[in-house]
Amino acid sequence: MSSNVTLIGNLVDDPELRFTPSGVAMAKIRMAVNRRYQRDGEWQEQTSFFSGTIWREQAEQAAESLQKGMRVIVTGRLEQRSWETEAGEKRSVVEVQIDEIGPSLRWATATVNRTQREDSWGGGGGGGQSGGGGGGGASAPAARDDYGPDEAPF
């Protein structure tokens, strides 16, 4: 099961930052999505809870900048995960593999700080207002096919 979704809701916990054995950052996100509708002239409210995972630099940035109670917008893919407990019971859960997350600006403001990237892009990692940085412009990132068992190739 894989389906693209956009969710808007409130974080029920601070993002939980962890690192895989190979050092890859991941953050667990839990959020509540409220749906309000009218039935027979009365307002009804329904709350659904979703868990999701975000990886690498975004995980670290989410853990640093988002807090419990904040309204966020999440885009990602729904994925179902199944397992069997030690008692032999079958379990299943649908989670969001988060591609993007950010604060909702409907009832809040945000200050955006652009991060420095230290990856395989050219240009010396510079930036600033000139947009260039010192070395010959940006090139495409190098292809990578050496992902570990706890890393998802995006």
Side-chain angles (χ1 to χ4, degrees), residues 84-117:
E84 192 170 309
T85 67
E86 291 181 13
E89 300 170 325
K90 294 185 186 279
R91 300 289 169 107
S92 179
V93 66
V94 175
E95 298 172 316
V96 182
Q97 291 301 316
I98 300 171
D99 293 324
E100 300 276 342
I101 187 170
S104 169
L105 301 180
R106 189 168 184 184
W107 292 292
T109 61
T111 302
V112 178
N113 299 311
R114 194 172 176 117
T115 59
Q116 289 285 341
R117 292 187 58 121

Side-chain angles (χ1 to χ4, degrees), residues 3-60:
S3 184
N4 293 324
V5 295
T6 299
L7 300 170
I8 302 171
N10 293 57
L11 294 179
V12 297
D13 292 316
D14 289 343
E16 182 182 337
L17 183 64
R18 295 183 188 171
F19 292 88
T20 65
S22 64
V24 177
M26 65 166 296
K28 289 284 188 183
I29 306 290
R30 290 192 37 219
M31 65 187 296
V33 176
N34 294 318
R35 185 182 135 203
R36 195 164 183 231
Y37 59 96
Q38 205 168 21
R39 178 182 284 167
D40 299 327
E42 285 193 41
W43 284 102
Q44 307 289 319
E45 191 165 322
Q46 179 182 10
T47 304
S48 298
F49 294 91
F50 294 91
S51 292
T53 305
I54 190 163
W55 293 88
R56 298 181 180 72
E57 292 84 11
Q58 282 193 90
E60 294 181 67

